Amino acid sequence: MDKTIEARFEDFRLKGDTHALADVFDATAPVLGRVAGHLASTQALAEDLLQETYLAAIESADRYDPQRALLPWLLGLMSNHARRAHRQAQRRPDPERLPAQES
């Protein structure tokens, strides 16, 4: 890969070049995977977090600022997903709001 990961992501973003996206994944997955391992409580959750991060990057590629570094942007996406997952895991039903069970 002769281009930077930012240039490769731009190739994906502007031209739909899936090979460029694969290059970005290959270059960034080791770092993002390690961070996901620290943010998640299990390996399976870390893998889900990594997958969600790349999916978010694909879906929001038009919001990426090519003047900025790509890795911090990806880490920000990951952090947002990790926070959301943590909040959802902490949610508990409020017994007062549950419908009464009929006998």
Side-chain angles (χ1 to χ4, degrees):
M1 177 171 72
D2 294 335
K3 292 184 173 182
T4 66
I5 59 171
E6 290 80 14
R8 295 302 285 155
F9 193 72
E10 275 297 281
D11 288 344
F12 163 72
R13 195 170 78 84
L14 299 175
K15 302 173 193 169
D17 184 344
T18 56
H19 293 289
L21 183 61
D23 290 344
V24 169
F25 177 85
D26 290 344
T28 59
V31 171
L32 292 177
R34 283 193 299 277
V35 173
H38 289 287
L39 294 174
S41 57
T42 67
Q43 182 62 32
L45 291 175
E47 291 170 6
D48 289 347
L49 185 55
L50 185 63
Q51 185 178 27
E52 289 171 4
T53 299
Y54 285 110
L55 181 59
I58 291 166
E59 291 174 344
S60 60
D62 60 323
R63 289 184 287 192
Y64 169 67
D65 178 358
Q67 301 302 312
R68 304 189 77 143
L70 181 64
L71 189 57
W73 183 71
L74 293 172
L75 288 166
L77 293 174
M78 178 177 282
S79 175
N80 291 340
H81 281 283
R83 254 193 318 279
R84 190 173 308 119
H86 181 70
R87 276 194 310 268
Q88 287 176 340
Q90 300 301 314
R91 293 180 72 188
R92 302 283 183 256
D94 180 358
E96 298 294 319
R97 294 182 65 194
L98 294 175
Q101 291 185 358
E102 295 182 22
S103 305

